[in-house]
Amino acid sequence: MIGKRRLFLRYLVVMLCIAVSGALLLYTSQSVQREQDNLARIEASIEREQQMMRVLEAEWAKLNSPYNLEILTQQSLDLVPPNTANITPDLPAMISSQEDAVDDRQEKLKIDISGQALPRKPTKKPSEESVVKRKSPKTIKENKSDDFQDVLGRLKAKEGGSDF
Amino acid sequence: MIFKSPSLRKPIALQGEHSSTLDQMRGRIVLLGAFFVVAYAAMAVRAFDLSVLQMSVPDNQQYEYFSASNDLQTRGAIVDRNGVLLATTIPVASLYADPKLVFDASTLAQKLVEIFPNMNYGSILQKLQSESRFTWIKRNITPAEQARVLNLGQPGLSFQQETKRFYPHENLLSHLVGYTNIDDRGLAGLERSFDKHLHSGEELKLTLDVRLQHVLHREVSKAMKDFTAKAGAGVIMDAHTGDVLAGVSLPDFNPHKAGSQNDSQIFNRLTLGVYELGSMFKIFSTAAVLEYNKIPFSYEFDATEPIRVGRFTINDFHAQDRILTVPEVFMYSSNIGSAKMGEMVGTEKLQAFYDDLGLLTPLDFEIREVGRPLKPNPWRDVHTLTASYGHGVATTPLQMSAAVAAVVNGGLLVSPKLVKSEMMSKDESALRVVSEETSLKMRALMRLVVSDGTARKADVKGFEVGGKTGTAEKIVNGRYDRTKLISSFVGAFPSSDPKYVVMVMVDEPKGNKRSFGYATAGWVAAPAAARVVNGMAAILGMTPNYMSAESEVSAPLKRYVSVKEDR
């Protein structure tokens, strides 16, 4: 009968579908497993690399430590630790922030090329400064207005020019 | 379909009108059989495919020194404010042996001694000949040593991977960073207080700058060596934010060998040590009298005679024996003058002021090793006199610096920080301890001390260093001992707008030839601070700003200062 043939065909088709889907399932699950293995291997190797990196970073930090560098520079280089006398000031900011005599300033800016600071000039004793007077303390009159308002005002105006 | 079967009487009909149920079932069985044949054939093909056609050996399956990770997180690293590594965990191998698998113990022991010259041949031989199945040969060996042992090709030797905490800078930061035990748990310092954070693998970023730390360490060590001192401490702090840029306590120790260090090395003198710092407290009593009593600089204090209260006599160290103005009291560090200032402020206000500055209570800090300040209890009026010049109160150097920072930065309280936090920016709710004007006045006074007073050796040209010295006698057996001093200097620069506070403290310095036998702060701590400022300027790239005498912040003060005839 025609019905039986069709039944047979349907049966065949269904079996084929099951077979194909089974094969596909097997293939997919095997691929996934393979990728998972791959992933685990890669992750393990990343971890190993990170550990190696940590060891290298530690070694680098030790070799570059200030203590070590100081020893090396003393042994191998002709450099000495810098002095503030070796640092040039920010001239424009300095000039604009002071009302100083040009000669006075030029003296202070001279830098000895050997890197040593200029010897302290002995003229800076407060007793020789013009502002300190050798009068008896009892004659100092009480000054009601502090000069500080001026200084405060001046410093506030100078705020923009400060280089620190 | 009709089949003729020789054995059957009736032909089999699979389909068509004559097919019966039996015939149908037979058909289905055949079909199923065919299906299985196909399936197995497919697997055979696949097997052939995998094994013959796609021969791939994964190339990272060679024998590795470091085995694959376990599930435990590696302890987080500690870095400084510029990202420099201060503490990290590195994997190390530990060598052990299974004596049963060792055939020629003496030759092997010989070879091992070649690789580990510090080890004893006899003890290795004993271990290799023992009866146990497991014995440590050497723990925490370097990768180079491990490679050499591997090359011996001995089946009896194996490695166990362990982790070790490594401090590249060794002694430099041992007190603040701390150290861990063998199980990688923190025992002291930041390793301990941030143990949980580090254990979960997170990194810790500090406010410290390792370069400044090195400079501070070098200069405090030098001061200690030059004056054969017992101990020392130092700190560099940001005047506005309270960030601790460098913190040193000497003597120090190697954190890799923390277990074998003595108590004096492990003691953190910066945060745990509590000291009577002496005249440096005059910064606070002077600030208090300027703030609360609003006296002008010309106000005079009678320092001609010592003060007598009951059994006590208050004397001046650099006795001036005359009437002193406010700047003179501060510059010549007059105890009598300061005591009278404290008297003007009053017990209640002075005590509250010291408390507000954070000097009298234990500091809330990121490490647990924090000392408890000492104050008079009960605090009577006589104690106000002594506390004004720093006697009877004891605090930690760190709290001292923070209080000075609060006074010089414009008057806002700062709390010292060791860990960089994301919540930066000016805290609007910061407590104000003194007015801007008082802060400026104090900066001028402190600049005067350095330019013309007891701290001249702290001056660094162009950086307007201002500060105060303090030479205090230590109390031994209930009495002040003149031979045991604590010499310290606290300074801020540049005085016009201070950015940094630097403090150096030296415990029990002894005078040397160059200091003419003096061991006071002006000879011991002030020069060390100057060297620190020098180093800082070079590292941080700060440019000098040479001031003329008139534009100095302390210039207006000079008119209130007169010099004694026989200086």
Side-chain angles (χ1 to χ4, degrees):
Chain A
M1 263 192 319
I2 304 192
K4 285 208 172 133
R5 173 172 252 152
R6 215 168 262 159
L7 208 65
F8 177 74
L9 274 171
R10 207 175 296 165
Y11 189 56
L12 190 68
V13 165
V14 166
M15 291 295 279
L16 267 165
C17 285
I18 292 175
V20 166
S21 62
L24 271 173
L25 179 70
L26 192 69
Y27 178 73
T28 318
S29 80
Q30 276 200 331
S31 314
V32 167
Q33 230 172 24
R34 198 170 349 123
E35 292 309 315
Q36 276 179 336
D37 282 346
N38 235 2
L39 183 68
R41 255 197 304 273
I42 290 175
E43 276 179 347
S45 99
I46 288 175
E47 177 74 30
R48 277 191 291 271
E49 290 297 317
Q50 282 177 336
Q51 283 182 339
M52 286 308 299
M53 265 169 42
R54 236 178 283 133
V55 173
L56 289 171
E57 276 170 356
E59 198 178 333
W60 174 256
K62 187 177 164 93
L63 291 171
N64 260 320
S65 72
Y67 181 69
N68 201 33
L69 291 178
E70 201 170 68
I71 292 176
L72 289 175
T73 49
Q74 279 170 1
Q75 285 174 354
S76 329
L77 297 175
D78 276 339
L79 303 176
V80 294
N83 206 310
T84 50
N86 301 120
I87 308 173
T88 52
D90 184 347
L91 287 181
M94 217 179 76
I95 288 169
S96 69
S97 72
Q98 294 184 41
E99 319 123 18
D100 214 346
V102 176
D103 300 348
D104 201 1
R105 218 181 304 135
Q106 289 253 6
E107 267 294 301
K108 285 174 189 156
L109 292 182
K110 255 194 266 175
I111 297 168
D112 185 24
I113 44 169
S114 70
Q116 302 295 315
L118 278 180
R120 288 270 164 85
K121 294 226 180 309
T123 57
K124 286 292 170 195
K125 277 220 180 75
S127 54
E128 288 167 32
E129 286 274 351
S130 56
V131 281
V132 176
K133 295 158 189 76
R134 277 183 181 277
K135 56 184 178 184
S136 155
K138 288 206 172 74
T139 63
I140 295 176
K141 293 202 175 57
E142 187 162 293
N143 191 353
K144 291 217 171 71
S145 70
D146 266 350
D147 277 3
F148 266 75
Q149 302 307 319
D150 303 342
V151 181
L152 193 64
R154 224 182 322 144
L155 285 173
K156 279 196 175 139
K158 197 171 65 160
E159 212 136 71
S162 168
D163 207 37
F164 295 100
Chain B
M1 298 193 310
I2 296 178
F3 289 98
K4 269 209 172 354
S5 173
S7 54
L8 295 173
R9 282 182 287 124
K10 240 175 148 197
I12 304 169
L14 275 176
Q15 275 188 346
E17 296 173 1
H18 299 295
S19 66
S20 65
T21 325
L22 206 63
D23 295 328
Q24 274 183 341
M25 276 187 52
R26 273 207 192 112
R28 286 178 190 158
I29 287 172
V30 167
L31 205 60
L32 215 57
F35 171 72
F36 273 102
V37 165
V38 166
Y40 281 117
M43 279 202 273
V45 166
R46 179 72 181 141
F48 177 76
D49 173 32
L50 277 176
S51 53
V52 175
L53 301 181
Q54 270 189 44
M55 264 199 321
S56 59
V57 177
D59 41 22
N60 37 18
Q61 265 183 357
Q62 329 145 8
Y63 183 91
E64 283 288 342
Y65 290 167
F66 305 121
S67 55
S69 68
N70 40 17
D71 289 320
L72 291 167
Q73 271 283 12
T74 323
R75 191 174 174 85
I78 301 180
V79 294
D80 85 340
R81 72 189 294 124
N82 300 315
V84 174
L85 198 61
L86 303 178
T88 186
T89 302
I90 51 173
V92 284
S94 289
L95 176 63
Y96 67 90
D98 184 354
K100 198 148 185 237
L101 299 176
V102 173
F103 299 113
D104 192 356
S106 49
T107 329
L108 180 58
Q110 189 72 37
K111 290 196 189 139
L112 283 174
V113 170
E114 277 171 34
I115 298 176
F116 301 109
N118 290 338
M119 292 195 70
N120 182 300
Y121 172 79
S123 57
I124 299 182
L125 189 61
Q126 212 171 22
K127 284 187 189 157
L128 293 174
Q129 287 172 333
S130 73
E131 289 301 317
S132 67
R133 291 303 304 263
F134 178 97
T135 168
W136 286 115
I137 303 290
K138 187 154 201 259
R139 302 185 74 158
N140 296 351
I141 62 177
T142 70
E145 289 166 343
Q146 189 182 14
R148 290 180 70 185
V149 171
L150 266 179
N151 283 334
L152 294 175
Q154 286 286 335
L157 298 175
S158 284
F159 301 104
Q160 182 160 316
Q161 189 198 333
E162 296 183 312
T163 54
K164 187 171 179 232
R165 196 71 168 159
F166 178 65
Y167 303 97
H169 301 276
E170 293 198 343
N171 291 33
L172 190 60
L173 302 129
S174 43
H175 287 104
L176 294 175
V177 166
Y179 49 90
T180 55
N181 64 12
I182 196 110
D183 298 316
D184 264 358
R185 303 310 290 249
L187 289 176
L190 289 163
E191 292 270 25
R192 178 166 158 218
S193 45
F194 283 86
D195 194 39
K196 223 181 245 169
H197 176 100
L198 291 167
H199 193 68
S200 67
E202 294 290 320
E203 187 185 81
L204 192 66
K205 188 163 194 180
L206 306 183
T207 57
L208 294 173
D209 187 327
V210 73
R211 309 164 297 174
L212 299 183
Q213 179 83 8
H214 173 76
V215 167
L216 187 65
H217 189 277
R218 184 183 65 203
E219 299 311 338
V220 176
S221 300
K222 181 168 163 31
M224 272 174 64
K225 201 168 85 136
D226 287 346
F227 294 94
T228 46
K230 192 173 96 164
V235 67
I236 300 177
M237 187 185 290
D238 184 314
H240 293 285
T241 62
D243 280 359
V244 175
L245 294 163
V248 155
S249 166
L250 287 161
D252 56 16
F253 58 96
N254 186 338
H256 297 128
K257 305 190 184 108
S260 59
Q261 311 296 306
N262 64 44
D263 288 333
S264 174
Q265 287 170 297
I266 299 218
F267 188 74
N268 186 338
R269 287 166 170 87
L270 180 64
T271 60
L272 189 55
V274 168
Y275 304 95
E276 259 192 24
L277 291 166
S279 304
M280 296 202 294
F281 267 76
K282 288 172 184 163
I283 296 176
F284 310 125
S285 50
T286 312
V289 81
L290 289 172
E291 173 85 359
Y292 295 128
N293 301 69
K294 301 199 189 345
I295 56 174
F297 282 118
S298 54
Y299 197 97
E300 291 170 350
F301 291 95
D302 188 351
T304 50
E305 282 175 1
I307 301 177
R308 270 177 240 280
V309 183
R311 288 183 291 123
F312 299 111
T313 307
I314 298 175
N315 265 317
D316 275 352
F317 189 60
H318 308 283
Q320 295 284 312
D321 298 323
R322 57 190 175 103
I323 293 183
L324 303 169
T325 59
V326 171
E328 285 174 331
V329 168
F330 197 72
M331 219 174 94
Y332 298 127
S333 207
S334 161
N335 293 347
I336 300 170
S338 295
K340 294 195 168 166
M341 284 182 182
E343 202 175 23
M344 280 182 75
V345 175
T347 302
E348 238 183 77
K349 280 222 173 94
L350 191 70
Q351 194 178 357
F353 188 63
Y354 281 10
D355 217 356
D356 285 341
L357 287 167
L359 291 164
L360 302 177
T361 49
L363 184 65
D364 183 16
F365 198 45
E366 284 106 336
I367 61 176
R368 304 232 190 105
E369 294 92 10
V370 167
R372 178 171 283 272
L374 302 170
K375 62 178 181 183
N377 194 12
W379 186 311
R380 302 210 175 88
D381 284 340
V382 64
H383 297 122
T384 304
L385 298 179
T386 56
S388 308
Y389 57 91
H391 275 218
V393 275
T395 188
T396 64
L398 186 63
Q399 285 167 280
M400 182 76 205
S401 318
V404 170
V407 169
V408 300
N409 71 5
L412 295 172
L413 192 65
V414 293
S415 54
K417 292 181 199 54
L418 207 47
V419 176
K420 217 151 173 50
S421 73
E422 299 310 314
M423 301 168 278
M424 295 304 281
S425 82
K426 275 215 157 41
D427 195 352
E428 271 88 38
S429 59
L431 182 69
R432 175 168 282 283
V433 283
V434 288
S435 64
E436 285 257 12
E437 197 182 315
T438 307
S439 174
L440 176 61
K441 290 181 181 178
M442 287 312 305
R443 299 204 297 268
L445 286 167
M446 285 165 70
R447 176 62 191 143
L448 197 64
V449 172
V450 174
S451 59
D452 298 281
T454 56
R456 256 171 268 208
K457 292 193 193 305
D459 200 8
V460 180
K461 266 192 122 79
F463 288 91
E464 273 191 288
V465 178
K468 184 78 188 73
T469 53
T471 311
E473 291 167 2
K474 287 170 83 166
I475 295 180
V476 176
N477 295 330
R479 314 195 57 159
Y480 283 110
D481 188 337
R482 200 168 286 188
T483 58
K484 291 187 167 31
L485 302 171
I486 300 241
S487 296
S488 13
F489 171 80
V490 65
F493 74 100
S495 289
S496 325
D497 185 14
K499 228 175 169 233
Y500 302 107
V501 170
V502 176
M503 177 169 168
V504 173
M505 178 193 90
V506 182
D507 188 349
E508 289 188 32
K510 294 164 191 52
N512 60 24
K513 234 188 229 156
R514 278 192 312 151
S515 73
F516 308 106
Y518 286 111
T520 53
W523 283 99
V524 175
R531 292 193 299 265
V532 170
V533 172
N534 229 323
M536 277 177 76
I539 288 170
L540 298 173
M542 300 171 78
T543 50
N545 192 6
Y546 297 104
M547 297 279 209
S548 66
E550 289 82 46
S551 45
E552 283 262 13
V553 67
S554 56
L557 256 52
K558 297 267 176 82
R559 83 159 74 143
Y560 303 108
V561 175
S562 65
V563 178
K564 246 173 110 170
E565 297 294 321
D566 53 348
R567 249 243 259 138

